[in-house]
């Protein structure tokens, strides 16, 4: 794991909880926060690198959408098969990308990874073999998700892939409630207090909008992907592979 301050952003009762944003204070604790909040995160990032390596095509791009501090880019770059590809990270938080640049340069001096500040729904994409979108589509307004996924599909050749990881909702309400409880148990076991868990939940309300596994699979098919399935799930966090 990258070095990181401990996340205690939600440890106090919040007078004005506001909406969750990816600002400087989040950036400082981000690696600790995501590791202790997303069950299976380390596995997903490592396997993302492996999947990117298997699908790397020389002369094309591997693009990480919502790259945050570049964990997936580093995982991809650690495989020699990706050396013939251009690695690109896109994020709309300038604070996040500043820290990402310094993290990447420390870990991989002389790297040629390109970082772009911008909204992933507004970019033009082409000549890509692997799109990585780990825990980012959930922050895009639902009515803009299909257009984005279609754009990604159109920039891929048959056999190329999209790796998509998301917090999901379970179709059956009782099972959904159980999964949420299991996730909260995980966070408690990671040292978060009940107050922190409740505050974070409130801050993410209407900001992080999860969908069901089937909802994601239907959209991927509708966007023109030929095959898709879940390759990893831990509680209510799932990772999909969609093959163009
Ligand atoms: C990881 N993938 O470590 N355009 C660009 N970036 C965006 C947008 C947008 N419209 N909306 C949100 N972001 C990373 C983790 S974090 C997930 C991804 C989380 C960015 C936002 O700035 C943040 O860096 C990232 O998407 C989501 O595997 O914090 O739960």
């Amino acid at each position: 794991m990258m070095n990181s301050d401990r996340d205690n952003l939600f440890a106090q009762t919040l007078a004005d909880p506001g909406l969750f944003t990816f600002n400087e204070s989040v950036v400082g604790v981000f690696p600790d926060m995501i590791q202790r909040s997303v069950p299976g995160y380390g596995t997903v990032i490592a396997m993302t690198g492996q999947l990117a390596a298997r699908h790397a095509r020389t002369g094309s791009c591997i693009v990480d959408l919502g790259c945050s501090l570049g964990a997936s880019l580093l995982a991809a770059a650690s495989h020699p098969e990706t050396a013939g590809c251009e690695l690109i990270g896109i994020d709309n938080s300038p604070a996040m990308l500043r820290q990402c640049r310094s993290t990447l340069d420390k870990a991989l001096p002389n790297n040629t990874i390109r970082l772009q500040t911008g909204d992933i729904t507004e970019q033009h994409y082409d000549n890509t073999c692997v799109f990585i979108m780990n825990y980012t589509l959930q922050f895009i307004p639902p009515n803009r998700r299909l257009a984005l996924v279609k754009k990604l599909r159109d920039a891929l050749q048959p056999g190329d892939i999209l790796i998509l990881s998301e917090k999901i909702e379970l179709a059956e309400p009782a099972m959904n409630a159980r999964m949420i409880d299991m996730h909260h148990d995980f966070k408690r076991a990671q040292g978060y207090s009940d107050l922190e868990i409740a505050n974070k939940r409130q801050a993410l309300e209407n900001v992080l909008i999860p969908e069901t596994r089937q909802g994601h699979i239907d959209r991927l098919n509708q966007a023109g992907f030929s095959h898709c399935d879940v390759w990893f799930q831990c509680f209510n966090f799932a990772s999909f592979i969609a093959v163009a």
Side-chain angles (χ1 to χ4, degrees):
M1 188 177 122
M2 297 174 213
N3 288 331
S4 164
D5 291 339
R6 190 158 171 92
D7 168 28
N8 56 13
L9 297 180
F10 290 91
Q12 310 298 323
T13 303
L14 306 173
D16 171 14
L19 289 181
F20 185 80
T21 56
F22 292 98
N23 55 24
E24 293 284 356
S25 41
V26 168
V27 170
V29 300
F30 187 79
D32 177 71
M33 170 190 283
I34 197 154
Q35 190 81 32
R36 292 199 290 135
S37 303
V38 175
Y41 177 75
T43 302
V44 168
I45 297 305
M47 294 306 118
T48 293
Q50 190 183 308
L51 289 173
R54 158 168 281 269
H55 296 87
R57 255 193 309 113
T58 298
S60 72
C61 304
I62 296 175
V63 182
D64 187 5
L65 305 159
C67 63
S68 299
L69 300 186
S72 295
L73 291 167
L74 273 180
S78 73
H79 292 264
E81 296 90 329
T82 65
C85 296
E86 183 171 17
L87 267 58
I88 302 171
I90 307 176
D91 204 289
N92 66 354
S93 160
M96 203 60 106
L97 281 194
R98 271 195 301 277
Q99 183 58 42
C100 182
R101 183 79 271 162
S102 104
T103 301
L104 292 177
D105 291 350
K106 239 178 250 158
L108 286 180
N110 305 320
N111 72 80
T112 55
I113 300 173
R114 183 146 64 88
L115 298 179
Q116 255 170 249
T117 310
D119 187 321
I120 57 170
T121 64
E122 289 167 5
Q123 309 298 308
H124 170 73
Y125 302 102
D126 66 5
N127 189 30
T128 299
C129 56
V130 177
F131 281 110
I132 300 165
M133 187 158 48
N134 286 336
Y135 315 107
T136 301
L137 188 63
Q138 60 197 17
F139 293 108
I140 303 297
N143 62 1
R144 302 182 66 185
R145 294 180 185 179
L146 178 60
L148 170 61
V149 175
K150 271 192 174 142
K151 261 210 271 195
L152 305 182
R153 166 62 191 89
D154 291 346
L156 298 170
Q157 300 292 315
D160 294 338
I161 59 162
L162 162 65
I163 301 162
L164 171 68
S165 301
E166 288 276 287
K167 183 176 195 178
I168 58 162
E169 184 179 79
L170 281 286
E172 210 257 301
M175 191 51 96
N176 192 49
R178 186 178 292 261
M179 285 289 180
I180 291 171
D181 287 346
M182 286 153 71
H183 176 225
H184 289 171
D185 286 346
F186 167 84
K187 290 188 72 166
R188 243 171 253 121
Q190 298 294 313
Y192 281 115
S193 68
D194 289 345
L195 179 65
E196 286 176 292
I197 293 171
N199 283 342
K200 181 75 179 279
R201 192 178 187 180
Q202 191 178 342
L204 285 175
E205 188 88 32
N206 301 323
V207 175
L208 188 168
I209 302 173
E211 293 178 87
T212 61
R213 272 169 77 143
Q214 196 57 49
H216 283 292
I217 287 178
D218 288 347
R219 179 187 298 111
L220 292 165
N221 286 325
Q222 205 186 336
F225 284 94
S226 333
H227 310 282
C228 44
D229 212 333
V230 169
W231 58 269
F232 183 82
Q233 186 172 335
C234 186
F235 305 142
N236 45 348
F237 290 80
S239 296
F240 304 79
I241 178 170
V243 182

